[in-house]
């Protein structure tokens, strides 16, 4: 029984330890990048479709509510 307890330790290669982690990292990157290419950026999923946006109301300068200020050289940006 003592012969089993005292076995020699063989050095392991760094590639054999890191290799599976690299494979998982590459697959996760490819899945994420492929999803980005197929679905587009995340904010695209929250936008309304083109048909609904075409029939929706468009903002006019009166709707924005911009009032002239004393600082006319630096007008506010429309949101």
């Amino acid at each position: 029984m003592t012969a089993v307890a005292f076995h020699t330790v063989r050095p392991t290669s760094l590639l054999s330890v890191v290799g599976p982690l690299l494979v998982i990292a590459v697959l996760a990157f490819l899945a994420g990048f492929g999803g980005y290419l197929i679905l587009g950026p995340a904010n695209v999923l929250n936008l309304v479709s083109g048909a609904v946006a075409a029939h929706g109301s468009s903002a006019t300068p009166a709707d924005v509510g911009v009032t002239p200020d004393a600082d006319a050289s630096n007008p506010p940006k429309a949101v």
Side-chain angles (χ1 to χ4, degrees):
M1 194 162 190
T2 58
V4 175
F6 298 107
H7 63 282
T8 58
V9 177
R10 290 181 224 141
T12 57
S13 170
L14 182 63
L15 185 61
S16 67
V17 174
V18 179
L21 296 175
L22 287 175
V23 170
I24 292 172
V26 167
L27 289 176
F29 173 77
L30 291 176
F33 188 66
Y36 176 79
L37 290 178
I38 292 170
L39 299 174
N43 63 349
V44 172
L45 296 175
N46 295 331
L47 295 177
V48 294
S49 65
V52 175
H55 291 94
S57 64
S58 62
T60 62
D63 294 336
V64 176
V66 177
T67 58
D69 292 333
D71 188 15
S73 63
N74 190 11
K77 295 181 180 178
V79 179

